[in-house]
Amino acid sequence: MFGSRFESHITHKYPLTSNLPEEKRKQLCALLGNVELTLLYKASVHGYNASAFHQRCDRQGPTLLVAYNRSGYIFGGYTSVDYAQSGQYIKDGEAFLFNLQGKIPVCIKVNSGCNARLDDSREPNFGQQLYFCYNNQPVVYDQGGNSFQKGGFSFGTSSPREVWINAFLFNPATLYGNDTQLTECEVYKVEQKPQVSVKENPWRNVLWKAERRDELMKMIRNYKSMIPSVSQVRILMIGPVGAGKSSFFNSINSIFMGRMTSKAMSGSAGTSLTTQFRTYPVKDGREGKPLPFVLCDTMGLEEQSGAGLDIDDISSILQGHVPDRYKFNPMASYQPDEQKASRPASLQEKIHCVVYVIDGTKISLVSSKLEEKLAAIRRKVNSLGIAQIVLMTKVDEACPLVEEDLQSLYVSSYIKTKVQEVSSRLGVPVSCVLPVKNYSQELELELNCDVLLLTALQQMLNFADDYLDDVSPV
């Protein structure tokens, strides 16, 4: 969400004292990145009324609300969109609620498709569900869900059915201990700090030259599996919605085509744009031969049960049972027909390397439910002995220094901390976490981007070789 190094400071434009303990401030900084927090509003000083809140917090950009109750809970919410008393419903995919009770903060992201808040003249709210300083009193109030129209039709009618859904899924006992009485409420302006460029030794060595790009392309073209029956290595991409799985294929395809391509559907929708299992071979140029690998794209992972890719489907894909263009059904896992079920898949049909694709700007916001899903998938992949790698995407959006110059990727201490965080949270070695930048809005290929992407692909082929070496007959 915010790029740069792991540090943050609280400054005061007004003679106000923050109630936020240093340890808790650092926990919030782990969520927000390299930011500066300026205390705008303090209810015990300015009053618990909505007019005082809006007088000090409107049109201030991203803000962080921190509430304190009698039971000692510190909790609140973040919105990246200005308060402006516009009367409009605000869509804000960056919005989240938090609780700082334990050593690890609890972070609850807004559900996709829901409004993050109503921007009116009343007290601050999240999802028209959780109200702070409710009715101009030192109180937090949970009103429940907001109405949200979802696709589908009511049985026996042609009218779309309306589903009541909470914008934020939380337990009041966990979030604020069921104690609605506030002792304080503070609002901070959140500003990204400019990163000071300091010449540092790179923590990984990369040769950012055209010769290296050409060498990598030649190695990939000439790759041959150590098992003759496996003519193409199959690489499975798994990750949350919008992390960049399809964009990675498009980027690799673009490099070998020598121009920008968009064969796989990619974008930033709240729900997965990929609804089928797709196997994408890549040609060496428009009239060239297929290259010795196939990238397999899947539906995005979602934290809610009954949404996104099903873990049982992943198991079937890993073992080579799912055909190309199979349409995923989040409510039911893949069932092979009798003929396929009776015939074991060949080694060529199975997956030889699994790649987890994680958005580098949202690592700290990965929910515990999604983390549990990823852990369950990792256990299954481990049981099959399949090689695993993590692609950390959108590194340019995560760090301004990298956005300015991709060659500074491996001198960025912030990117290094994020790589270590991914390693810790997913349980993979640091050496298996590869930061990359996919092509997204560019019209021309770029050398540094090519080198990063091809280095990652070459590593996938190396890891697939390790797996094939392990399963090959002696």
Side-chain angles (χ1 to χ4, degrees):
M1 180 165 40
F2 293 96
S4 204
R5 297 181 306 174
F6 177 84
E7 62 183 56
S8 178
H9 301 283
I10 296 174
T11 60
H12 308 303
K13 292 182 179 177
Y14 309 102
L16 299 174
T17 303
S18 168
N19 280 26
L20 193 60
E22 180 65 15
E23 178 190 356
K24 303 301 182 186
R25 178 189 69 80
K26 287 181 178 178
Q27 288 183 352
L28 285 172
C29 290
L31 296 177
L32 296 171
N34 182 41
V35 298
E36 185 167 333
L37 301 179
T38 303
L39 187 55
L40 297 173
Y41 165 79
K42 190 176 180 73
S44 62
V45 174
H46 301 119
Y48 283 89
N49 54 77
S51 60
F53 162 79
H54 285 289
Q55 182 182 346
R56 289 163 177 80
C57 302
D58 280 2
R59 305 195 184 282
Q60 294 290 334
T63 51
L64 180 75
L65 185 149
V66 183
Y68 311 77
N69 68 12
R70 295 179 307 180
S71 301
Y73 281 71
I74 302 176
F75 62 105
Y78 169 83
T79 176
S80 68
V81 181
D82 284 289
Y83 288 101
Q85 302 184 62
S86 64
Q88 302 294 312
Y89 293 102
I90 302 298
K91 296 282 188 187
D92 181 6
E94 303 283 318
F96 62 86
L97 297 176
F98 66 86
N99 164 283
L100 302 179
Q101 276 307 100
K103 290 184 178 178
I104 299 175
V106 174
C107 180
I108 302 147
K109 292 171 65 179
V110 64
N111 284 324
S112 61
C114 288
N115 297 315
R117 59 184 177 85
L118 173 62
D119 185 39
D120 59 7
S121 60
R122 295 179 59 194
E123 63 275 345
N125 73 88
F126 287 84
Q128 286 182 273
Q129 177 185 354
L130 194 64
Y131 291 79
F132 293 87
C133 306
Y134 185 66
N135 279 345
N136 299 325
Q137 298 296 318
V139 168
V140 62
Y141 174 61
D142 178 10
Q143 184 169 277
N146 61 340
S147 176
F148 167 62
Q149 186 171 295
K150 223 171 182 180
F153 296 88
S154 299
F155 181 74
T157 77
S158 59
S159 302
R161 68 175 181 267
E162 201 154 271
V163 179
W164 287 82
I165 184 171
N166 285 338
F168 297 91
L169 297 177
F170 67 89
N171 183 337
T174 303
L175 190 65
Y176 52 87
N178 279 327
D179 183 353
T180 61
Q181 297 297 311
L182 300 181
T183 59
E184 185 61 275
C185 184
E186 299 174 332
V187 177
Y188 297 87
K189 179 182 176 71
V190 179
E191 295 178 285
Q192 186 179 349
K193 292 182 64 180
Q195 182 172 6
V196 178
S197 178
V198 178
K199 187 68 176 176
E200 297 180 42
N201 291 324
W203 44 278
R204 279 184 189 165
N205 292 315
V206 174
L207 190 61
W208 306 97
K209 292 186 178 295
E211 293 83 358
R212 177 56 178 165
R213 176 179 58 189
D214 296 343
E215 181 187 17
L216 285 165
M217 292 180 75
K218 183 178 179 181
M219 288 166 64
I220 291 165
R221 288 186 183 109
N222 295 336
Y223 169 83
K224 281 187 173 57
S225 158
M226 58 175 40
I227 298 180
S229 63
V230 178
S231 59
Q232 289 180 303
V233 163
R234 288 166 69 89
I235 300 165
L236 177 63
M237 318 293 290
I238 297 174
V241 172
K245 302 182 303 300
S246 302
S247 295
F248 178 75
F249 163 74
N250 286 334
S251 298
I252 293 295
N253 195 49
S254 297
I255 294 171
F256 283 96
M257 289 296 289
R259 62 172 178 82
M260 288 301 168
T261 64
S262 187
K263 192 173 177 182
M265 190 178 293
S266 63
S268 56
T271 55
S272 184
L273 289 174
T274 304
T275 58
Q276 296 178 319
F277 174 63
R278 290 305 319 271
T279 57
Y280 290 113
V282 177
K283 286 185 177 180
D284 188 11
R286 187 172 179 182
E287 305 295 332
K289 310 183 297 184
L291 290 162
F293 62 90
V294 173
L295 295 174
C296 303
D297 197 10
T298 57
M299 192 175 188
L301 292 175
E302 297 188 42
E303 60 184 51
Q304 298 97 332
S305 57
L309 186 62
D310 185 87
I311 291 176
D312 289 335
D313 281 338
I314 293 174
S315 181
S316 297
I317 292 168
L318 293 173
Q319 296 175 76
H321 298 313
V322 179
D324 185 30
R325 297 185 185 274
Y326 165 73
K327 188 172 177 62
F328 294 109
N329 178 2
M331 304 309 294
S333 56
Y334 171 76
Q335 296 295 328
D337 58 39
E338 288 185 18
Q339 185 178 359
K340 283 187 177 176
S342 62
R343 179 185 69 84
S346 68
L347 187 57
Q348 172 67 74
E349 295 171 305
K350 294 181 179 180
I351 296 299
H352 311 121
C353 179
V354 170
V355 178
Y356 303 99
V357 184
I358 303 295
D359 184 339
T361 68
K362 296 180 179 176
I363 295 160
S364 297
L365 298 179
V366 172
S367 69
S368 57
K369 286 185 180 179
L370 195 54
E371 210 167 318
E372 287 166 12
K373 267 194 177 180
L374 286 165
I377 294 166
R378 279 206 17 89
R379 286 193 293 272
K380 183 62 186 177
V381 176
N382 284 336
S383 72
L384 296 171
I386 300 172
Q388 300 168 74
I389 279 180
V390 180
L391 276 190
M392 192 177 87
T393 61
K394 305 184 185 180
V395 291
D396 54 322
E397 295 177 35
C399 177
L401 188 66
V402 177
E403 184 177 31
E404 188 178 325
D405 180 7
L406 200 55
Q407 289 193 20
S408 66
L409 176 70
Y410 288 123
V411 297
S412 166
S413 57
Y414 178 73
I415 294 295
K416 186 177 182 179
T417 63
K418 287 299 171 185
V419 166
Q420 291 167 339
E421 185 180 351
V422 169
S423 167
S424 174
R425 295 188 72 165
L426 268 64
V428 297
V430 169
S431 60
C432 295
V433 181
L434 306 176
V436 296
K437 176 190 180 305
N438 289 330
Y439 285 114
S440 56
Q441 57 189 11
E442 296 81 3
L443 297 177
E444 299 289 338
L445 296 172
E446 199 270 325
L447 172 64
N448 294 331
C449 200
D450 287 357
V451 169
L452 270 186
L453 291 161
L454 292 168
T455 300
L457 178 58
Q458 179 61 42
Q459 198 69 349
M460 292 172 200
L461 296 178
N462 292 341
F463 274 44
D465 252 356
D466 294 340
Y467 166 72
L468 293 169
D469 183 35
D470 195 45
V471 299
S472 65
V474 179

Short mmCIF file of all heavy atoms in Angstrom, two decimals, residues 119-142:
data_model
loop_
_atom_site.label_atom_id
_atom_site.label_comp_id
_atom_site.label_asym_id
_atom_site.label_seq_id
_atom_site.Cartn_x
_atom_site.Cartn_y
_atom_site.Cartn_z
N ASP A 119 -19.77 8.77 3.02
CA ASP A 119 -19.09 10.04 3.28
C ASP A 119 -20.13 11.13 3.53
O ASP A 119 -20.43 11.95 2.67
CB ASP A 119 -18.21 10.39 2.07
CG ASP A 119 -17.38 11.65 2.31
OD1 ASP A 119 -16.89 11.81 3.43
OD2 ASP A 119 -17.25 12.45 1.37
N ASP A 120 -20.68 11.14 4.75
CA ASP A 120 -21.70 12.14 5.08
C ASP A 120 -21.18 13.08 6.17
O ASP A 120 -19.98 13.10 6.46
CB ASP A 120 -23.00 11.45 5.52
CG ASP A 120 -22.82 10.55 6.73
OD1 ASP A 120 -21.70 10.55 7.32
OD2 ASP A 120 -23.77 9.84 7.10
N SER A 121 -22.06 13.86 6.75
CA SER A 121 -21.65 14.86 7.74
C SER A 121 -21.70 14.32 9.17
O SER A 121 -21.43 15.06 10.11
CB SER A 121 -22.55 16.10 7.64
OG SER A 121 -23.91 15.73 7.88
N ARG A 122 -22.01 13.04 9.30
CA ARG A 122 -22.09 12.45 10.63
C ARG A 122 -20.73 11.98 11.11
O ARG A 122 -19.69 12.25 10.48
CB ARG A 122 -23.08 11.27 10.61
CG ARG A 122 -24.53 11.68 10.32
CD ARG A 122 -25.43 10.45 10.29
NE ARG A 122 -25.38 9.73 11.56
CZ ARG A 122 -25.84 8.49 11.72
NH1 ARG A 122 -26.38 7.84 10.69
NH2 ARG A 122 -25.77 7.90 12.89
N GLU A 123 -20.73 11.24 12.22
CA GLU A 123 -19.49 10.70 12.79
C GLU A 123 -18.84 9.70 11.81
O GLU A 123 -19.51 9.17 10.94
CB GLU A 123 -19.78 10.00 14.12
CG GLU A 123 -20.70 8.79 14.03
CD GLU A 123 -22.17 9.16 14.07
OE1 GLU A 123 -22.51 10.30 14.46
OE2 GLU A 123 -23.00 8.29 13.70
N PRO A 124 -17.53 9.46 11.95
CA PRO A 124 -16.85 8.53 11.03
C PRO A 124 -17.42 7.12 11.13
O PRO A 124 -17.69 6.63 12.23
CB PRO A 124 -15.38 8.57 11.48
CG PRO A 124 -15.40 9.13 12.86
CD PRO A 124 -16.59 10.04 12.94
N ASN A 125 -17.61 6.49 9.97
CA ASN A 125 -18.13 5.13 9.94
C ASN A 125 -17.32 4.28 8.97
O ASN A 125 -16.68 4.80 8.05
CB ASN A 125 -19.61 5.13 9.51
CG ASN A 125 -19.78 5.43 8.03
OD1 ASN A 125 -19.76 4.54 7.20
ND2 ASN A 125 -19.93 6.72 7.69
N PHE A 126 -17.36 2.99 9.18
CA PHE A 126 -16.73 2.03 8.27
C PHE A 126 -17.80 1.04 7.83
O PHE A 126 -18.37 0.32 8.64
CB PHE A 126 -15.54 1.33 8.93
CG PHE A 126 -14.35 2.23 9.07
CD1 PHE A 126 -14.24 3.09 10.16
CD2 PHE A 126 -13.35 2.26 8.11
CE1 PHE A 126 -13.15 3.95 10.28
CE2 PHE A 126 -12.26 3.11 8.21
CZ PHE A 126 -12.16 3.96 9.30
N GLY A 127 -18.11 1.07 6.53
CA GLY A 127 -19.10 0.18 5.96
C GLY A 127 -20.52 0.47 6.41
O GLY A 127 -21.38 -0.41 6.33
N GLN A 128 -20.80 1.70 6.89
CA GLN A 128 -22.11 1.99 7.49
C GLN A 128 -22.46 0.91 8.51
O GLN A 128 -23.61 0.54 8.69
CB GLN A 128 -23.21 2.04 6.43
CG GLN A 128 -23.21 3.28 5.58
CD GLN A 128 -24.37 3.25 4.60
OE1 GLN A 128 -24.24 2.69 3.52
NE2 GLN A 128 -25.49 3.83 4.99
N GLN A 129 -21.43 0.45 9.15
CA GLN A 129 -21.56 -0.71 10.03
C GLN A 129 -20.98 -0.40 11.40
O GLN A 129 -21.62 -0.65 12.42
CB GLN A 129 -20.81 -1.87 9.37
CG GLN A 129 -20.74 -3.16 10.14
CD GLN A 129 -19.88 -4.18 9.42
OE1 GLN A 129 -19.43 -3.95 8.30
NE2 GLN A 129 -19.64 -5.31 10.05
N LEU A 130 -19.76 0.15 11.41
CA LEU A 130 -19.10 0.48 12.66
C LEU A 130 -18.94 1.99 12.74
O LEU A 130 -18.28 2.60 11.89
CB LEU A 130 -17.73 -0.21 12.72
CG LEU A 130 -17.06 -0.26 14.09
CD1 LEU A 130 -17.88 -1.09 15.08
CD2 LEU A 130 -15.65 -0.83 13.98
N TYR A 131 -19.57 2.60 13.75
CA TYR A 131 -19.57 4.05 13.92
C TYR A 131 -18.75 4.43 15.15
O TYR A 131 -18.92 3.84 16.23
CB TYR A 131 -21.00 4.57 14.09
CG TYR A 131 -21.85 4.47 12.84
CD1 TYR A 131 -22.43 3.27 12.47
CD2 TYR A 131 -22.06 5.58 12.03
CE1 TYR A 131 -23.20 3.17 11.31
CE2 TYR A 131 -22.83 5.50 10.88
CZ TYR A 131 -23.40 4.29 10.52
OH TYR A 131 -24.15 4.21 9.39
N PHE A 132 -17.89 5.41 15.00
CA PHE A 132 -17.08 5.92 16.11
C PHE A 132 -17.63 7.27 16.56
O PHE A 132 -18.07 8.08 15.75
CB PHE A 132 -15.61 6.05 15.69
CG PHE A 132 -14.95 4.73 15.42
CD1 PHE A 132 -15.03 4.13 14.17
CD2 PHE A 132 -14.26 4.07 16.43
CE1 PHE A 132 -14.43 2.90 13.92
CE2 PHE A 132 -13.65 2.84 16.19
CZ PHE A 132 -13.74 2.26 14.93
N CYS A 133 -17.60 7.51 17.89
CA CYS A 133 -18.16 8.74 18.47
C CYS A 133 -19.65 8.85 18.08
O CYS A 133 -20.14 9.91 17.67
CB CYS A 133 -17.39 9.98 18.03
SG CYS A 133 -15.62 9.89 18.35
N TYR A 134 -20.35 7.73 18.21
CA TYR A 134 -21.72 7.61 17.75
C TYR A 134 -22.63 8.58 18.49
O TYR A 134 -22.59 8.70 19.72
CB TYR A 134 -22.21 6.17 17.95
CG TYR A 134 -23.59 5.90 17.39
CD1 TYR A 134 -23.82 5.94 16.02
CD2 TYR A 134 -24.64 5.61 18.25
CE1 TYR A 134 -25.08 5.69 15.50
CE2 TYR A 134 -25.90 5.35 17.74
CZ TYR A 134 -26.12 5.40 16.37
OH TYR A 134 -27.37 5.15 15.86
N ASN A 135 -23.47 9.31 17.74
CA ASN A 135 -24.40 10.29 18.31
C ASN A 135 -23.68 11.31 19.20
O ASN A 135 -24.18 11.73 20.24
CB ASN A 135 -25.52 9.62 19.10
CG ASN A 135 -26.63 9.11 18.18
OD1 ASN A 135 -26.69 9.50 17.01
ND2 ASN A 135 -27.48 8.25 18.70
N ASN A 136 -22.45 11.67 18.78
CA ASN A 136 -21.65 12.68 19.49
C ASN A 136 -21.34 12.28 20.93
O ASN A 136 -21.23 13.12 21.82
CB ASN A 136 -22.36 14.04 19.46
CG ASN A 136 -22.55 14.55 18.05
OD1 ASN A 136 -21.72 14.34 17.18
ND2 ASN A 136 -23.67 15.23 17.80
N GLN A 137 -21.17 10.96 21.13
CA GLN A 137 -20.86 10.43 22.45
C GLN A 137 -19.58 9.58 22.37
O GLN A 137 -19.22 9.09 21.29
CB GLN A 137 -22.01 9.56 22.97
CG GLN A 137 -23.33 10.29 23.16
CD GLN A 137 -23.24 11.36 24.22
OE1 GLN A 137 -22.64 11.17 25.28
NE2 GLN A 137 -23.82 12.53 23.94
N PRO A 138 -18.89 9.37 23.51
CA PRO A 138 -17.69 8.51 23.50
C PRO A 138 -18.08 7.03 23.41
O PRO A 138 -17.87 6.24 24.34
CB PRO A 138 -16.99 8.85 24.82
CG PRO A 138 -18.09 9.31 25.72
CD PRO A 138 -19.10 10.00 24.84
N VAL A 139 -18.63 6.67 22.26
CA VAL A 139 -19.20 5.33 22.07
C VAL A 139 -18.85 4.83 20.68
O VAL A 139 -18.80 5.61 19.73
CB VAL A 139 -20.75 5.38 22.23
CG1 VAL A 139 -21.40 4.08 21.76
CG2 VAL A 139 -21.13 5.67 23.68
N VAL A 140 -18.59 3.51 20.57
CA VAL A 140 -18.51 2.86 19.26
C VAL A 140 -19.76 2.01 19.11
O VAL A 140 -20.22 1.37 20.07
CB VAL A 140 -17.22 2.01 19.14
CG1 VAL A 140 -17.17 0.87 20.15
CG2 VAL A 140 -17.07 1.46 17.72
N TYR A 141 -20.33 2.02 17.90
CA TYR A 141 -21.61 1.35 17.69
C TYR A 141 -21.54 0.48 16.43
O TYR A 141 -21.15 0.96 15.36
CB TYR A 141 -22.72 2.39 17.53
CG TYR A 141 -24.07 1.80 17.16
CD1 TYR A 141 -24.71 0.89 18.00
CD2 TYR A 141 -24.69 2.17 15.97
CE1 TYR A 141 -25.95 0.36 17.65
CE2 TYR A 141 -25.93 1.64 15.62
CZ TYR A 141 -26.56 0.74 16.47
OH TYR A 141 -27.77 0.21 16.12
N ASP A 142 -21.89 -0.80 16.58
CA ASP A 142 -21.92 -1.73 15.45
C ASP A 142 -23.37 -1.87 15.00
O ASP A 142 -24.19 -2.47 15.68
CB ASP A 142 -21.34 -3.08 15.87
CG ASP A 142 -21.41 -4.11 14.74
OD1 ASP A 142 -21.71 -3.72 13.60
OD2 ASP A 142 -21.16 -5.30 15.01
#
